[in-house]
Amino acid sequence: MSDSTSGTGAPGAAYAGHYSEKGFRSRARGYLRRAGREVGEKVLFLYYTLDEPELPAWCRSVIYGALGYFLAPWDAAPDFIPGVGYTDDLGVLTAALATVAVHVTPEARRRAREQLDRWLG
């Protein structure tokens, strides 16, 4: 997976610069434990979709933007606020997933669920 992307008007696109493979791998597990299964599933669906070799560049931009928003230390609702912190992330992730849904393969979904089960039990 590449760490760069071109900007688009897609949900979270302004945050694409906050995404990196290394950053995702080092922070995702802890973030997903706090965010919960619903957010985690969407994050990992998008993440594993990036492995698809035929994924169009615009899809990569949407995914990088959404994952960058999730990883950004600041966003519309700070993640440390109980009950509210990840609602904005969920909105961005849901919009991104709906935008690229046709490119999310059953294999990406399977891998995401397996990883989430390992991390969250």
Side-chain angles (χ1 to χ4, degrees):
M1 284 178 255
S2 171
D3 287 4
S4 64
T5 183
S6 61
T8 70
Y15 290 85
H18 295 282
Y19 175 83
S20 73
E21 181 72 18
K22 183 179 179 183
F24 181 84
R25 290 193 167 273
S26 70
R27 294 185 284 179
R29 184 177 184 178
Y31 282 18
L32 294 181
R33 282 189 171 158
R34 290 188 304 273
R37 188 167 287 277
E38 185 176 7
V39 170
E41 193 171 70
K42 288 170 179 47
V43 166
L44 292 175
F45 284 172
L46 293 170
Y47 176 75
Y48 285 116
T49 296
L50 289 170
D51 284 343
E52 296 302 319
E54 301 298 319
L55 189 67
W58 70 265
C59 286
R60 289 187 191 284
S61 294
V62 169
I63 294 171
Y64 288 138
L67 294 179
Y69 187 88
F70 176 70
L71 294 174
W74 62 90
D75 53 30
D79 297 336
F80 62 83
I81 299 173
V84 177
Y86 286 100
T87 56
D88 61 318
D89 297 86
L90 183 59
V92 168
L93 293 164
T94 299
L97 194 55
T99 303
V100 303
V102 70
H103 298 284
V104 180
T105 64
E107 175 65 10
R109 290 179 186 275
R110 180 193 63 75
R111 290 174 65 200
R113 288 186 178 120
E114 286 176 358
Q115 185 64 51
L116 203 57
D117 286 345
R118 282 191 293 275
W119 283 350
L120 303 181

